[in-house]
Amino acid sequence: MTLAGHNGDPATTAASSAAVREADALQYSLREGPCLTVLAKGSPVRVDDVTTERRWPRWCAAVSGSGLRSVLTTPLLAADGCLGAIKIYATTPRAFGPADEHAMAEFATRATVLVAQAREHERASVLSERFRRTLRDRDTITMARGFLMAREGIDQPTASEWLLLSLARAQGRSPVQTAVGILASGEGAPPA
């Protein structure tokens, strides 16, 4: 199985053998092959024999010595595009026909649902972590501001000005880094 990464680069996420993983890696490095065509066009591709196939001459030449002879590749199509591809390789020529193409399409439909759900879960986890980090940063800044208010006997806007603008700029750091420094060392006198 190949999945299109968030940056668009394909990656083999599962392979049944080292030869299959290497056949995929050759496609990625040569930038040609049936899997990349499926990812780009979103339609299935069948290769009956890599020794006679002409669509990807460099990839076919490179993979022909591996013992792999035929390939069937099917896209994982979702509403937002092609998520990846499922492919099967065989060591015999003309190993796949229309019935195999149909079975792969059925399997790909089901696999697409799982991949799309996994990606949605991953996106939610990333957003959740960003939200937690934002809350932690806000709390750190609030505590440092309170520390400055108590220590210096100043109001909230003045403490915010010192913390968020003056000190952070003077130190060349972010407000959160400055707040952490204030809380850790008890420093934070206003800059002159």
Side-chain angles (χ1 to χ4, degrees):
M1 177 179 286
T2 294
L3 294 180
H6 298 293
N7 61 357
D9 291 337
T12 300
T13 57
S16 59
S17 71
V20 167
R21 189 171 294 282
E22 180 60 26
D24 284 356
L26 285 167
Q27 290 187 67
Y28 311 150
S29 66
L30 295 171
R31 300 202 180 279
E32 72 172 39
C35 183
L36 297 181
T37 299
V38 166
L39 290 174
K41 295 186 176 182
S43 56
V45 168
R46 185 174 79 201
V47 176
D48 289 326
D49 191 342
V50 297
T51 64
T52 58
E53 179 63 55
R54 299 292 173 240
R55 289 176 281 186
W56 313 282
R58 293 180 303 145
W59 179 77
C60 287
V63 80
S64 65
S66 71
L68 300 175
R69 293 289 297 271
S70 51
V71 186
L72 179 59
T73 308
T74 303
L76 300 174
L77 295 174
D80 56 346
C82 187
L83 303 178
I86 295 177
K87 59 235 171 253
I88 51 176
Y89 292 88
T91 55
T92 58
R94 291 170 289 288
F96 310 110
D100 301 304
E101 289 177 356
H102 178 74
M104 280 285 285
E106 290 292 320
F107 180 76
T109 299
R110 290 177 178 89
T112 300
V113 171
L114 294 175
V115 170
Q117 287 175 345
R119 286 205 170 168
E120 199 54 43
H121 177 74
E122 180 184 3
R123 280 188 210 121
S125 295
V126 167
L127 290 175
S128 179
E129 179 52 36
R130 285 182 189 157
F131 181 68
R132 283 191 295 273
R133 190 177 334 117
T134 298
L135 290 178
R136 281 191 306 267
D137 291 352
R138 183 201 64 189
D139 291 346
T140 300
I141 289 170
T142 299
M143 286 188 297
R145 187 175 52 216
F147 174 83
L148 287 175
M149 290 168 60
R151 189 185 78 186
E152 302 295 328
I154 57 177
D155 62 11
Q156 181 178 341
T158 303
S160 293
E161 178 71 24
W162 283 355
L163 175 65
L164 297 176
L165 300 175
S166 302
L167 289 175
R169 283 187 192 145
Q171 296 171 357
R173 298 179 356 188
S174 74
V176 172
Q177 292 169 327
T178 303
V180 167
I182 288 169
L183 293 171
S185 67
E187 296 176 4

